[in-house]
Amino acid sequence: MSQGVQHRSIGDLDAGVSRLLDAPQDGGILELIVIRPVKEQRAMLDEAWLSSEGGVEGDNWAKGCWKSLPDGRPDPDVQITIMSSRLARLVMGEDKNHWALAGDQLVADLDLSEENLPPGQRLMIGEAILQITSVPHRGCAKYKARFGDDALRFISTKEGHR
């Protein structure tokens, strides 16, 4: 799945921080919609239906995810994740097929920092209104395997949270 993704060095990633800091704080652009219909598969969409019950229609979040409620249902605080397109370009290059591997359903040119979008903030995407939660989506072993150890470390920095 990760074939062709060049692993960038921490030096290369640090050199791109200024582009991340220039992201718009309002009026961003949605650049990619991705669903994970089944484990390890991705589909890129031109449009999607979002709901408070199911997240992004067609995504496997509703079938279970890494964070669950006490009753076993998937936690709605992690049902939809957004990644910065500037971060995607920096870490993964221009190929949006590589962006899809990250696992985020939405990729937008927008400042996603907690300073700009604190928990509780509402974000309008098309006709949908999303509420920002306090649960970050920071990467995992799969992210590290696909994009490298330096990329995983970088997205854990303050600059990488944008």
Side-chain angles (χ1 to χ4, degrees), residues 30-97:
L30 182 62
E31 293 195 45
L32 185 65
I33 304 169
V34 179
I35 58 170
R36 304 154 304 176
V38 295
K39 189 175 181 178
E40 299 302 324
Q41 288 187 4
R42 305 289 189 271
M44 293 185 282
L45 307 175
D46 293 327
E47 60 183 35
W49 179 259
L50 299 121
S51 74
S52 58
E53 297 81 32
V56 180
E57 185 175 298
D59 188 73
N60 69 2
W61 169 85
K63 297 174 189 164
C65 69
W66 66 273
K67 187 168 180 2
S68 300
L69 297 174
D71 67 5
R73 291 179 295 132
D75 189 333
D77 282 355
V78 299
Q79 71 183 183
I80 298 173
T81 57
I82 308 170
M83 177 176 54
S84 160
S85 61
R86 291 172 188 239
L87 179 66
R89 280 188 177 85
L90 180 60
V91 171
M92 302 155 209
E94 292 293 329
D95 187 340
K96 290 184 179 180
N97 289 300

